[in-house]
């Protein structure tokens, strides 16, 4: 098995090779490469499949007890400064490699059906492959500098993919928003990296943590500086994992194609933030104040995302705020010291959230047979309903995802979320209460989404609703929306078959092609079963992945102290609040016993707060966008009046003085003698008077 470790560097290189081959083809032989679209897809999917196979072999080897593997080489040196690069394979790395490669592999298969009609099909595959390679490179990085390099590559790829349909203003704005917001967090991360290196002299995670702890204990650096460095590093995950207050970019990222929404929200970009907290755990655990900041930031973000998701009508936006909420759970777990629980939820969430996003793409694809290529209509749940009858595979897998994220046993989300809530209760009952309430809200909005989409009567042919939605969207954007061939683009010929002989749209949606439904069915398996590896009775996951400050013996000793009564109380309370949320959703959106609009009218201020996303976008627009424009105008005035004025005044003075002196410098000796005589006479008069 040692040979596998020696060649583990191939895992991120394989998708990079695919991206390079296709990218060079697009640059040099564009038309030929675009015509060979299926061949390009097969090459890229095959390379990701090979990376997935190697990742699974490494995971099995690590599970069998192989020692962590580190291979480095000197990359830069100057005096006593030495910077190494390379790769490391340990339990956390092996698990993340499998999660990233499996989700990316299934997303790539799904993409063939979803993007088949899109002219940028080949370019999208190249971006996907580069994105996967960047995340895999980040996962295997052995030090903070190398992580930062791949961290920025992941950000660049997200910019390219979110803005994939760059000719659409909404997509262009969304990718810029994601880029700028992430730069704020990344700048904080860079400052934190430099501060930690200045204080500890190392970029290695464990060495930094140990030295920082010693320096604080001996008083060599103040506790304030340690807290500052830790929080600056945490700013990176705050942006990447969409935590308050840098969460605003993630819902807008839905302007990208649905496959990339699934990849960003499940296994790559947002997972990178939680992964970095795990890698930097040796540093954070020595700074209790920073751990508290992490925990409460995560708890508030979980609650914030859930409360906004309640009122979203766009199916992808609802899932986006759901992702923000679930990431809050993971960050809260890290903050309360539940290292294993946070990573466990990252893994389970990756599978069921990828399935939910791909399921939403399948719904959009089916809806476009009825409403056409209009994202406003195709993604709005108010035009859906009854889709389970037309799309049974999509409906079945979406229901599994809803049960998993709602924490209903024995689905995957129950085990990981319950472990987080148990740890939060032990650390701080207030954090547990926020997480517990959020669990109930999560169950409510997910089943609101499921019932509105898949149950009841199909509303896609209701012209009144269509007109209302179009008018509302046009009023919001200040322009008349035009159909586009972006989200959920169909295979060639599908659109023709979905019309009747008179050329009208079909009256009912249809199931997606097998390339889209197969990944959904495959992802349904881990969404149901993968949580069983982390049950409190036999927590194999925690025995495999535990915090760096623990030993396996300590983990086993803690597992032996398991109290089933405490588990039943905690699990029972979390399941109970989820059942309450599901019951409310049934009464409102399935049985129609409760009128949601009547409740919204009674609590209009709270409803408006949720619908307007707590007004964060509006506040940021007023403060940062318009505020910076005002500052820019003031700077321009200063530049025009002061800087340009000083330069112009200097030029004017030079011009006037030159004009005056040219009459004095006439070249006549008699005139110069007269000037000298006048000057001497003036001096005599002055000194004579004094």
């Amino acid at each position: 098995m040692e040979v596998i470790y020696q060649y583990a560097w191939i895992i991120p290189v394989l998708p990079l090779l695919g991206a390079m081959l296709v990218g060079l083809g697009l640059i040099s032989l564009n038309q030929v490469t675009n015509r060979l679209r299926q061949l390009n897809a097969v090459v890229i999917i095959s390379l990701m499949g090979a990376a997935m196979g190697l990742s699974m072999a490494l995971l099995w080897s690590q599970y069998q007890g192989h020692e962590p593997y580190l291979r480095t080489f000197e990359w830069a040196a100057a005096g006593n400064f030495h910077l190494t690069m390379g790769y490391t394979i340990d339990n956390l790395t092996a698990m993340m490699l499998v999660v990233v490669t499996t989700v990316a592999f299934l997303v790539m298969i799904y993409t063939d059906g979803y993007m088949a009609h899109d002219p940028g099909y080949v370019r999208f595959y190249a971006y996907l492959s580069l994105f996967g390679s960047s995340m895999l490179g980040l996962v295997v990085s052995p030090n903070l500098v190398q992580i930062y390099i791949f961290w920025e590559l992941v950000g660049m790829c997200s910019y390219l993919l979110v803005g994939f349909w760059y000719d659409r203003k909404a997509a262009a704005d969304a990718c810029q928003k994601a880029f700028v917001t992430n730069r704020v967090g990344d700048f904080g991360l860079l400052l934190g990296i430099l501060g930690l290196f200045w204080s500890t002299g190392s970029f290695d995670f464990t060495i930094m943590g140990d030295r920082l702890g010693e320096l604080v204990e001996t008083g060599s650096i103040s506790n304030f500086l340690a807290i500052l460095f830790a929080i600056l590093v945490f700013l990176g995950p705050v942006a990447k994992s969409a935590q308050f207050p840098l969460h605003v970019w993630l819902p807008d990222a839905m302007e990208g194609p649905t496959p990339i929404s699934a990849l960003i929200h499940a296994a790559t970009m947002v997972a990178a933030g939680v992964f970095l907290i795990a890698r930097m755990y040796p540093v954070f655990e020595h700074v209790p104040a920073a751990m508290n900041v992490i925990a409460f930031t995560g708890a508030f973000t979980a609650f914030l995302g859930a409360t906004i998701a309640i009122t979203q009508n766009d199916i992808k936006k609802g899932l986006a705020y759901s992702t923000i909420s679930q990431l809050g759970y993971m960050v809260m777990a890290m903050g309360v010291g539940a290292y294993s629980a946070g990573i466990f939820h990252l893994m389970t969430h990756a599978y069921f959230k990828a399935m939910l996003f791909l399921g939403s793409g399948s719904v959009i694809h089916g809806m476009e047979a009825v409403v056409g290529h209009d994202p406003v209509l195709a993604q709005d749940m108010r035009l859906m309903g009854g889709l389970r009858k037309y799309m049974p595979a999509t409906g079945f897998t979406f229901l599994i995802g809803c049960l998993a994220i709602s924490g209903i046993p024995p689905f995957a989300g129950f085990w990981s979320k319950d472990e987080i809530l148990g740890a939060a209760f032990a650390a701080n009952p207030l954090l547990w209460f926020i997480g517990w309430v959020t669990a109930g809200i999560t169950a409510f909005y997910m089943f609101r989404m499921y019932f509105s989409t898949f149950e009841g009567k199909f509303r896609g042919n209701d012209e009144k609703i269509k007109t209302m939605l179009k008018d509302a969207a046009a009023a919001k954007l200040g322009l008349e929306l035009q159909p586009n061939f972006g989200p959920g683009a169909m295979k060639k010929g599908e659109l023709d078959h979905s019309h009747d002989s008179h050329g009208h749209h079909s009256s009912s949606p249809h199931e997606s092609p097998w390339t889209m439904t197969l990944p959904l069915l495959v992802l349904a398996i881990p969404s149901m079963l993968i949580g069983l590896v982390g049950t409190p009775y036999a927590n194999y996951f925690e025995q495999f992945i535990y915090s760096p400050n623990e030993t396996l013996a300590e983990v086993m000793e803690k597992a032996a102290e398991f109290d089933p009564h405490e588990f039943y109380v905690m699990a029972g309370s979390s399941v109970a609040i989820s059942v309450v949320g599901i019951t409310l959703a049934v009464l409102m959106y399935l049985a129609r016993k409760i009128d949601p609009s009547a409740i919204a009218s009674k609590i209009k201020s709270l409803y408006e707060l949720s619908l307007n996303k707590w007004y964060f976008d509006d506040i940021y627009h007023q403060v940062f966008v318009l505020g910076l424009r005002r500052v820019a105008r003031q700077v321009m005035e200063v530049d025009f009046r002061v800087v340009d004025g000083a330069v112009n005044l200097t030029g004017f003075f030079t011009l006037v003085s030159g004009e005056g002196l040219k009459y004095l410098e006439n070249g006549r000796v008699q005139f110069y003698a007269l000037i000298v005589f006048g000057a001497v006479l003036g001096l005599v008069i002055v000194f004579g008077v004094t």
Side-chain angles (χ1 to χ4, degrees):
M1 293 296 269
E2 187 68 27
V3 177
I4 298 177
Y5 288 86
Q6 292 174 3
Y7 290 97
W9 56 270
I10 293 176
I11 294 175
V13 169
L14 284 172
L16 176 62
L17 178 63
M20 287 176 59
L21 288 173
V22 175
L24 289 171
L26 288 171
I27 292 169
S28 55
L29 300 166
N30 185 276
Q31 292 184 350
V32 175
T33 305
N34 276 306
R35 278 200 298 268
L36 298 173
R37 45 203 287 142
Q38 293 287 335
L39 178 62
N40 283 290
V42 168
V43 168
I44 282 182
I45 293 171
S46 299
L47 289 170
M48 184 59 77
M52 179 178 69
L54 191 53
S55 299
M56 288 180 171
L58 287 170
L59 179 64
W60 178 251
S61 175
Q62 285 291 300
Y63 183 73
Q64 294 297 313
H66 193 286
E67 289 294 318
Y69 184 88
L70 175 65
R71 188 168 185 176
T72 59
F73 62 91
E74 190 169 84
W75 190 55
N80 294 326
F81 174 78
H82 296 275
L83 181 60
T84 60
M85 293 289 172
Y87 64 92
T88 183
I89 304 295
D90 57 13
N91 292 358
L92 177 61
T93 299
M95 187 276 293
M96 287 295 297
L97 287 175
V98 170
V99 169
V100 173
T101 53
T102 51
V103 173
F105 179 72
L106 292 169
V107 166
M108 286 177 174
I109 294 173
Y110 178 96
T111 298
D112 176 64
Y114 191 87
M115 298 289 288
H117 190 67
D118 196 287
Y121 176 95
V122 177
R123 177 168 61 95
F124 188 72
Y125 266 106
Y127 288 171
L128 272 184
S129 196
L130 183 61
F131 195 23
S133 174
S134 301
M135 185 62 192
L136 292 169
L138 188 152
V139 166
V140 301
S141 297
N143 60 58
L144 202 47
V145 171
Q146 190 171 330
I147 275 189
Y148 188 75
I149 292 169
F150 284 104
W151 185 270
E152 294 301 327
L153 277 172
V154 168
M156 182 201 74
C157 292
S158 73
Y159 174 81
L160 294 173
L161 285 159
V162 171
F164 181 76
W165 291 308
Y166 53 83
D167 54 343
R168 289 170 48 197
K169 185 179 185 304
D173 291 344
C175 69
Q176 291 179 47
K177 187 174 183 178
F179 186 82
V180 171
T181 307
N182 275 276
R183 293 292 69 73
V184 175
D186 293 356
F187 183 62
L189 173 60
L190 179 61
L191 292 177
I193 292 171
L194 296 175
L196 287 172
F197 179 75
W198 167 78
S199 58
T200 64
S202 176
F203 293 113
D204 183 88
F205 314 110
T206 306
I207 294 174
M208 277 192 298
D210 293 341
R211 287 184 183 172
L212 188 67
E214 293 172 4
L215 291 168
V216 172
E217 284 181 13
T218 58
S220 300
I221 68 167
S222 67
N223 195 46
F224 171 77
L225 276 180
I227 295 169
L228 177 64
F229 295 155
I231 292 177
L232 283 172
V233 169
F234 177 56
L235 276 179
V238 165
K240 274 286 188 291
S241 289
Q243 299 297 288
F244 167 81
L246 300 179
H247 63 282
V248 291
W249 69 270
L250 196 59
D252 291 55
M254 296 301 94
E255 292 297 335
T258 300
I260 196 53
S261 300
L263 201 55
I264 285 178
H265 286 239
T268 52
M269 187 163 176
V270 297
V274 179
F275 174 79
L276 181 60
I277 297 175
R279 276 287 187 241
M280 292 297 292
Y281 199 77
V283 172
F284 291 130
E285 67 177 348
H286 290 293
V287 190
M291 293 288 278
N292 286 330
V293 169
I294 293 171
F296 279 96
T297 300
F300 180 74
T301 304
F303 180 74
L304 172 70
T307 53
I308 296 175
I310 290 176
T311 56
Q312 298 304 304
N313 294 309
D314 185 307
I315 189 169
K316 286 177 68 178
K317 289 283 181 72
L319 289 173
Y321 282 106
S322 166
T323 299
I324 291 173
S325 182
Q326 297 304 305
L327 288 166
Y329 271 109
M330 299 174 208
V331 172
M332 179 177 72
M334 290 294 181
V336 299
Y339 178 95
S340 178
I343 300 297
F344 187 31
H345 197 53
L346 185 156
M347 180 183 72
T348 59
H349 176 264
Y351 289 112
F352 62 69
K353 184 51 66 68
M355 182 177 65
L356 285 167
F357 265 109
L358 296 182
S360 72
S362 181
V363 167
I364 294 166
H365 178 275
M367 285 294 295
E368 285 183 342
V370 180
V371 301
H373 293 285
D374 189 333
V376 173
L377 301 182
Q379 295 175 200
D380 199 300
M381 291 184 289
R382 288 171 290 187
L383 266 179
M384 298 176 188
L387 293 184
R388 180 171 55 86
K389 180 171 64 175
Y390 306 105
M391 310 176 71
T394 303
F396 172 70
T397 54
F398 204 93
L399 177 60
I400 290 173
C402 290
L403 290 167
I405 197 173
S406 299
I408 302 300
F411 296 91
F414 164 74
W415 304 104
S416 54
K417 190 181 289 187
D418 184 71
E419 194 173 346
I420 292 173
L421 290 176
F425 186 81
N428 188 326
L430 175 60
L431 291 173
W432 168 82
F433 180 74
I434 296 171
W436 180 73
V437 170
T438 302
I441 300 172
T442 301
F444 172 76
Y445 70 69
M446 287 308 301
F447 275 87
R448 168 185 179 265
M449 189 179 296
Y450 175 76
F451 295 140
S452 299
T453 305
F454 293 99
E455 302 296 338
K457 180 184 176 184
F458 181 62
R459 301 178 292 275
N461 298 310
D462 191 324
E463 292 300 327
K464 288 184 179 178
I465 300 178
K466 287 182 182 179
T467 304
M468 178 195 72
L469 296 179
K470 282 188 173 182
D471 291 346
K476 183 179 179 182
L477 298 176
L479 49 88
E480 188 66 34
L481 293 174
Q482 298 294 328
N484 70 82
F485 292 86
M490 300 180 184
K491 282 181 176 288
K492 288 182 177 177
E494 275 194 345
L495 196 58
D496 298 330
H497 294 308
S498 69
H499 291 60
D500 60 25
S501 57
H502 299 287
H504 298 108
H505 289 299
S506 170
S507 60
S508 61
H510 58 77
E511 185 61 276
S512 301
W514 72 268
T515 50
M516 295 173 67
T517 54
L518 178 62
L520 291 174
L521 294 170
V522 172
L523 284 167
I525 298 171
S527 298
M528 289 188 289
L529 302 177
I530 204 167
L532 298 177
V533 303
T535 65
Y537 300 99
N539 200 331
Y540 302 108
F541 188 88
E542 189 169 12
Q543 294 169 24
F544 183 64
I545 292 178
Y546 44 87
S547 71
N549 65 340
E550 289 183 307
T551 63
L552 180 58
E554 291 173 341
V555 171
M556 298 298 289
E557 183 180 346
K558 187 168 64 175
E561 298 172 357
F562 166 64
D563 182 0
H565 299 292
E566 182 182 345
F567 166 70
Y568 293 141
V569 171
M570 296 301 300
S573 65
S574 64
V575 172
I577 193 69
S578 296
V579 170
V580 169
I582 295 170
T583 304
L584 280 174
V586 169
L587 293 173
M588 288 186 186
Y589 300 99
L590 186 63
R592 305 287 177 180
K593 299 292 186 184
I594 301 175
D595 184 7
S597 58
I599 297 175
S601 61
K602 289 180 180 177
I603 50 170
K604 190 172 182 180
S605 57
L606 292 177
Y607 174 74
E608 292 287 342
L609 180 69
S610 172
L611 189 64
N612 291 289
K613 309 160 194 174
W614 286 42
Y615 299 101
F616 278 113
D617 283 324
D618 300 314
I619 294 168
Y620 288 0
H621 181 74
Q622 289 292 329
V623 174
F624 297 111
V625 178
L626 299 183
L628 287 174
R629 284 179 186 171
R630 293 190 193 99
V631 171
R633 280 195 289 269
Q634 295 302 317
V635 170
M636 185 176 69
E637 286 293 318
V638 171
D639 178 66
F640 179 73
R641 298 184 183 280
V642 178
V643 179
D644 288 354
V647 172
N648 294 337
L649 183 63
T650 304
F652 177 74
F653 178 77
T654 304
L655 177 65
V656 171
S657 60
E659 284 292 326
L661 288 173
K662 77 177 183 180
Y663 296 106
L664 298 177
E665 302 291 337
N666 57 16
R668 295 177 182 177
V669 177
Q670 300 93 324
F671 184 70
Y672 295 156
L674 179 63
I675 291 174
V676 171
F677 175 76
V680 172
L681 181 62
L683 290 172
V684 169
I685 293 171
V686 170
F687 285 108
V689 172
T690 56

